[in-house]
Amino acid sequence: MATTGGQQGGKPLLLREHRIKHKVRLEDIAEATKISRRFLEAIEMGEYGKLPGGVFTTSYIRQYAAAIGFEADEILADCQASLGEKQPERREPGSEAAAGATKWYRFLSLG
């Protein structure tokens, strides 16, 4: 069973291990991504609650992972599980637009 929340052996620590293995300093990542070192440290430790939240958290994790050549999906899944967020539903292209158009049609036809 994988651990989360920055516990020893947890998925976030994979980022730290990968970064150290490739001899990349946090300062280098912070400079390249313009992400604060404290946020990068929070990502490494799995302390996602310290991140700004929403799209910023997702973006920060993706940028950090990309900077060291790591696949972000596993870390994002760990973050979502840790924060109790659900995975977004996959929708067929155009299905949302069609639903929106139907709502507007009903609204306009009532007026």
Side-chain angles (χ1 to χ4, degrees):
M1 180 169 92
T3 58
T4 59
Q7 298 174 5
Q8 200 66 344
K11 291 177 184 176
L13 292 178
L14 293 174
L15 284 174
R16 185 178 185 336
E17 292 169 7
H18 190 81
R19 176 181 63 79
I20 291 170
K21 179 181 172 184
H22 288 86
K23 299 179 181 167
V24 179
R25 299 177 315 137
L26 274 179
E27 293 81 10
D28 298 332
I29 298 170
E31 187 176 319
T33 62
K34 308 297 185 222
I35 298 172
S36 165
R37 181 185 165 109
R38 70 185 170 104
F39 291 145
L40 296 173
E41 289 172 347
I43 292 168
E44 277 192 350
M45 300 308 296
E47 298 172 344
Y48 306 116
K50 292 183 177 181
L51 299 174
V55 296
F56 290 104
T57 295
T58 302
S59 176
Y60 287 4
I61 291 171
R62 286 195 186 283
Q63 288 182 66
Y64 179 116
I68 61 171
F70 194 87
E71 179 59 48
D73 292 339
E74 186 175 347
I75 305 304
L76 286 169
D78 182 68
C79 173
Q80 291 170 339
S82 176
L83 296 175
E85 297 176 359
K86 292 193 302 185
Q87 294 279 356
E89 284 184 32
R90 293 192 140 255
R91 297 181 185 214
E92 292 298 316
S95 65
E96 198 168 303
T102 303
K103 289 178 188 175
W104 277 107
Y105 177 75
R106 280 191 240 146
F107 174 74
L108 295 172
S109 65
L110 294 175

